[in-house]
Amino acid sequence: MRSIIKNNLNIYIVGIGCCKHEIFATRGPVYDISRFGINFVSSPEDADVFVFEGFRNSQLLTRAIEVYEMMQEPKWAIAVGKCALETCKYKGEDILVKKFRSKVKFDVYLPGCPPRPEAFIYAIIRLLDKI
Amino acid sequence: MMFEDSFDKTASEKESNYFEDLEKNLLFYFSDKIDSMFKFENDILCEVSIENLDFILEALKNNLVFSLNRLNYINTYESKKRSFLIINLSKDTNKNSTFIKVRFSRTNHEFGLKKTFDIVIKYFKEASRFENNYGKSHLLKDLKIYDQMPEGLDCLDIHADIAGEEITDIFLDDRKAHVHKFFDFENDDISKIIAKISLIDHKAGVFPEICFCMGIENYLKVKIPKRAQYIRMLLSELYRISNHLSYIANMSELLDNKMTFNLSLIEREQIFRIIEHITGSRVHPNFVRVGGVKKDISDENIIMINGSLVGFFKSIRKIEKIMLNDPIIFKTLDGCGNISSSQALNMGLTGPNLRSSGIRYDLRKNEKYLLYEDIAFVIPLGRKGDCLDRLIVRFKELYQSLKIIKQIIDKMPIGAIQLMLPPSELDFEYTAHIATSECPHGIMKLFFELEDKRLLAFLSVCASKKSLFAAEEALKGSRFDDLNIIIASFDLCPSELLDFRW
């Protein structure tokens, strides 16, 4: 099962911000992330990897938790960019942020504001090694 | 006067007379009701108390001398431990707008805010959309679509009522994008603020920087070196091209045209490579400084840009041919999501979305903005204001941007790139500023208050909010299948919808 997922990894992105701009650049022929078998999907049920990036407010965090819970096992998570890392690690002590931290277990943290497309590909390769 | 005439260059003198008279009329009519008034390049800021707001709003809307009948923006902010409400009204587009700053007591904050909003809603019904009044989302039950992958649709939840294939009523919920006070500017000096400010428009990061620095320069009344102005223009056009290419890639993806999607992303990467050579960064350039720019542009960069211009032109022509010669794409976009010229003006649209409806208004041409008066270029216009026109206008703007870049490189003057204005030595008394710039999505206005070396308050009035309301109008009566294409055709920038204030 894992080998099937490894060769056909579906990614669902949650969040708005400049990181998404750079992640989408990897879909072009210059970076061509699809050569690693990576697809971007629009429904959480089909996704294997949860990518969290960008700014947050209470609505977005609630949606992120919903999406992560809707994803089926086995699932992995990546936090991309400075804003997401602050949410996952340092900033915000309200109930919702604590709930988010306890529910979502991140496998890879990718720093940068925003990280370059090459960095995102590197994070995906590291994740593939884990799988 | 026809709508079109009012935006032609022939009528611009009348417009400037109106702006000069506006200040005199405001002082004449409300001399005892306005506490203080400041005039900026294109805007007027009036400070009033909550008791006089009702009287002033009624006069501004109904008195023919003012005719300020369009609400562009309304938001609250805090400064010096006091709460304020800012209202932006204008006559036609965002051009020559009037900002009204209302202060209300901090002790009874909630009551004061509610009372002030009620007064504004009495005269401008659209204010309810800015008040987080989202009751309508519960009424529309036929269809609910959560955020989707393509850019511009990722920040929206769609609630709609449909009859057969037709959308009868729609509500685009952008609450997910309402992020306040996420970034802390409290202990930052101006150089650190410039480094962060490009987050407001991540698709074209240089524009907020230019806008912010121009606001401070206008206050200091300093003249920027010509070479620095030219470098700013060059970067503006490069970012405009990258934004429009990203828009074309987005549209191609929604129209299932993989070839143009790939071709436009290849060109965009090349543009980013040039930007990276000049600024050292792709998305957030952190390149513009108060009094000039950070770094000079080298001869190597100029040769690189000059060498790639013909290639860009050919590739964009190729993408345009593939997209517009495809009968399926043409039929899908033609007559889809129409916005007429009068509708566009009434809704306060700006930028390419306004121009695609046939209104000739561009800050670069109609006002004194950077040194665009030295450069010959045409403002591309659409006819019907449908999705096809919005796409064609952007293609035409790409050609014009390449033409502008060619002229900038040919005319690039020799000289200094920065005035000696170190940020550590800039010291301000308490002042409010409003600055304007023409970004690829429309007109961007920044309102900020400075004291000493600190930023007290910051609000951004961006074009995407207006484009969102226009998208709602365009979607009513459209086919359900065209929903995503119509929303994407307005080029919504998620970070412009952030409702960013500090």
Side-chain angles (χ1 to χ4, degrees):
Chain A
M1 184 67 190
R2 286 198 171 225
S3 66
I4 296 169
I5 292 170
K6 200 175 175 180
N7 293 322
N8 188 16
L9 205 63
N10 293 339
I11 289 179
Y12 186 91
I13 305 171
V14 175
I16 47 170
C18 36
C19 301
K20 198 164 193 172
H21 202 55
E22 290 292 72
I23 293 170
F24 278 176
T26 59
R27 296 184 307 164
V30 178
Y31 298 102
D32 195 16
I33 201 167
S34 56
R35 70 202 142 110
F36 300 106
I38 309 295
N39 309 308
F40 291 88
V41 291
S42 277
S43 69
E45 287 89 348
D46 300 339
D48 307 307
V49 182
F50 170 86
V51 174
F52 182 70
E53 53 88 22
F55 319 109
R56 64 162 163 85
N57 62 4
S58 54
Q59 271 96 358
L60 204 138
L61 271 187
T62 318
R63 181 67 51 78
I65 295 166
E66 275 176 29
V67 164
Y68 189 75
E69 284 175 349
M70 279 160 80
M71 283 169 62
Q72 288 172 0
E73 291 286 347
K75 57 189 173 188
W76 295 269
I78 306 176
V80 178
K82 172 184 160 276
C83 311
L85 254 69
E86 278 179 352
T87 309
C88 303
K89 285 272 184 193
Y90 315 112
K91 263 190 180 177
E93 289 301 322
D94 53 274
I95 300 163
L96 200 64
V97 174
K98 278 181 184 170
K99 191 182 169 188
F100 177 74
R101 284 176 192 164
S102 64
K103 292 255 179 189
V104 185
K105 300 288 172 221
F106 283 99
D107 298 280
V108 181
Y109 294 96
L110 178 60
C113 186
R116 291 179 60 90
E118 294 96 328
F120 182 71
I121 292 173
Y122 179 71
I124 290 290
I125 292 166
R126 290 294 296 269
L127 188 73
L128 287 172
D129 291 342
K130 264 190 167 185
I131 295 167
Chain B
M1 196 194 295
M2 290 290 289
F3 275 123
E4 287 79 1
D5 293 345
S6 70
F7 285 88
D8 265 350
K9 255 207 141 179
T10 47
S12 62
E13 275 182 27
K14 283 181 187 172
E15 284 293 319
S16 61
N17 286 344
Y18 164 78
F19 186 55
E20 279 167 20
D21 292 344
L22 184 66
E23 190 189 9
K24 289 173 197 166
N25 288 328
L26 280 169
L27 283 171
F28 179 74
Y29 282 87
F30 312 120
S31 56
D32 53 336
K33 292 194 167 55
I34 290 177
D35 299 344
S36 59
M37 194 161 93
F38 305 95
K39 194 182 175 191
F40 304 98
E41 273 208 334
N42 301 309
D43 310 275
I44 288 174
L45 175 70
C46 308
E47 200 175 330
V48 299
S49 62
I50 193 165
E51 290 80 28
N52 298 324
L53 184 68
D54 199 337
F55 176 81
I56 289 172
L57 283 183
E58 190 189 0
L60 287 178
K61 192 181 179 187
N62 299 328
N63 195 333
L64 290 173
V65 177
F66 304 110
S67 302
L68 292 167
N69 50 10
R70 190 164 306 117
L71 179 94
N72 291 320
Y73 184 74
I74 177 165
N75 213 336
T76 52
Y77 73 95
E78 286 175 13
S79 166
K80 284 188 165 181
K81 295 182 178 176
R82 291 170 75 184
S83 300
F84 295 95
L85 184 90
I86 200 110
I87 307 163
N88 182 14
L89 301 171
S90 70
K91 194 181 168 194
D92 290 310
T93 54
N94 253 347
K95 182 187 183 185
N96 298 344
S97 65
T98 306
F99 281 78
I100 298 168
K101 183 175 154 188
V102 190
R103 60 170 189 278
F104 47 89
S105 71
R106 198 177 164 81
T107 48
N108 211 343
H109 179 270
E110 285 294 317
F111 178 72
L113 184 65
K114 183 86 183 73
K115 198 178 155 192
T116 323
F117 257 104
D118 286 345
I119 295 167
V120 181
I121 290 167
K122 202 165 92 184
Y123 298 105
F124 302 97
K125 281 180 184 168
E126 56 268 40
S128 58
R129 276 304 295 269
F130 292 90
E131 200 204 5
N132 281 0
N133 183 3
Y134 288 91
K136 204 179 168 187
S137 59
H138 303 293
L139 299 173
L140 308 174
K141 285 177 180 172
D142 282 0
L143 189 77
K144 192 173 181 184
I145 304 172
Y146 283 140
D147 50 308
Q148 297 164 72
M149 279 295 285
E151 256 187 311
L153 294 163
D154 53 353
C155 52
L156 300 172
D157 289 345
I158 301 162
H159 304 261
D161 269 352
I162 49 172
E165 279 195 353
E166 198 180 287
I167 298 167
T168 50
D169 201 358
I170 191 153
F171 176 74
L172 303 175
D173 184 354
D174 62 331
R175 265 181 299 177
K176 252 176 73 178
H178 286 195
V179 182
H180 321 299
K181 284 192 172 184
F182 191 65
F183 302 100
D184 207 355
F185 286 152
E186 197 165 7
N187 299 316
D188 294 347
D189 64 359
I190 286 171
S191 60
K192 282 183 185 169
I193 294 162
I194 292 168
K196 288 179 185 176
I197 211 164
S198 51
L199 289 160
I200 293 167
D201 187 355
H202 68 248
K203 280 185 163 184
V206 82
F207 289 94
E209 289 180 12
I210 291 176
C211 194
F212 184 72
C213 291
M214 272 167 59
I216 297 173
E217 285 154 9
N218 287 339
Y219 167 72
L220 294 171
K221 289 181 182 151
V222 290
K223 206 178 173 188
I224 308 305
K226 219 174 167 186
R227 191 176 173 84
Q229 299 265 45
Y230 268 71
I231 295 171
R232 282 182 187 186
M233 284 199 295
L234 177 71
L235 271 173
S236 300
E237 293 312 316
L238 287 171
Y239 269 103
R240 199 181 303 278
I241 293 172
S242 95
N243 177 77
H244 286 352
L245 284 170
S246 147
Y247 171 87
I248 291 162
N250 210 8
M251 287 292 278
S252 306
E253 195 192 10
L254 288 168
L255 291 161
D256 271 345
N257 196 327
K258 198 73 185 167
M259 183 181 259
T260 48
F261 172 78
N262 286 341
L263 285 171
S264 45
L265 280 184
I266 290 171
E267 296 311 311
R268 199 185 74 136
E269 282 306 320
Q270 286 207 31
I271 290 285
F272 269 142
R273 213 152 279 176
I274 294 172
I275 291 171
E276 211 175 352
H277 268 277
I278 299 170
T279 66
S281 175
R282 282 161 62 94
V283 179
H284 304 307
N286 187 12
F287 190 73
V288 183
R289 295 285 180 271
V290 178
V293 290
K294 184 175 83 176
K295 216 169 70 178
D296 200 0
I297 182 166
S298 66
D299 292 341
E300 197 185 317
N301 288 334
I302 288 177
I303 292 163
M304 185 182 171
I305 298 167
N306 214 358
S308 50
L309 281 179
V310 179
F312 282 134
F313 183 83
K314 280 181 183 170
S315 311
I316 292 164
R317 180 73 86 201
K318 195 176 167 187
I319 297 166
E320 192 188 8
K321 266 188 180 177
I322 296 169
M323 275 193 97
L324 300 182
N325 288 347
D326 188 334
I328 297 168
I329 292 179
F330 194 86
K331 274 186 183 172
T332 315
L333 297 178
D334 192 24
C336 164
N338 283 25
I339 292 280
S340 68
S341 54
S342 54
Q343 263 182 319
L345 280 174
N346 282 330
M347 283 183 290
L349 273 180
T350 49
N353 292 338
L354 176 74
R355 294 193 281 273
S356 63
S357 297
I359 307 287
R360 188 179 288 116
Y361 181 69
D362 194 324
L363 207 69
R364 295 176 290 173
K365 204 89 171 172
N366 294 46
E367 302 282 327
K368 264 197 167 184
Y369 175 64
L370 293 172
L371 286 176
Y372 279 102
E373 56 195 8
D374 296 356
I375 292 181
F377 66 100
V378 183
I379 305 172
L381 293 180
R383 284 179 191 165
K384 292 183 283 183
D386 55 0
C387 290
L388 186 68
D389 274 343
R390 283 191 279 277
L391 183 69
I392 291 172
V393 161
R394 280 172 175 91
F395 270 119
K396 285 181 184 170
E397 281 198 3
L398 284 173
Y399 299 131
Q400 294 303 321
S401 292
L402 290 175
K403 196 176 152 187
I404 293 169
I405 289 171
K406 178 75 185 152
Q407 289 178 65
I408 289 169
I409 288 168
D410 291 344
K411 290 181 181 176
M412 182 70 82
I414 300 162
I417 54 151
Q418 200 177 4
L419 293 175
M420 292 307 286
L421 289 169
S424 53
E425 287 175 22
L426 291 174
D427 213 348
F428 301 95
E429 290 174 12
Y430 172 70
T431 43
H433 303 271
I434 297 163
T436 316
S437 79
E438 173 85 35
C439 80
H441 315 105
I443 289 176
M444 169 188 279
K445 281 182 191 288
L446 297 182
F447 169 86
F448 51 94
E449 288 181 2
L450 289 164
E451 191 178 42
D452 300 333
K453 287 163 193 171
R454 291 192 310 123
L455 198 66
L456 292 178
F458 183 87
L459 290 168
S460 63
V461 185
C462 296
S464 285
K465 194 82 178 172
K466 287 282 163 189
S467 302
L468 183 80
F469 299 159
E472 271 182 13
E473 279 301 310
L475 279 164
K476 281 173 194 167
S478 312
R479 281 171 66 239
F480 167 67
D481 296 352
D482 301 333
L483 189 127
N484 283 356
I485 291 168
I486 294 174
I487 298 173
S489 74
F490 280 92
D491 196 12
L492 302 175
C493 180
S495 59
E496 278 198 346
L497 291 170
L498 279 181
D499 193 11
F500 183 74
R501 60 187 151 163
W502 177 78

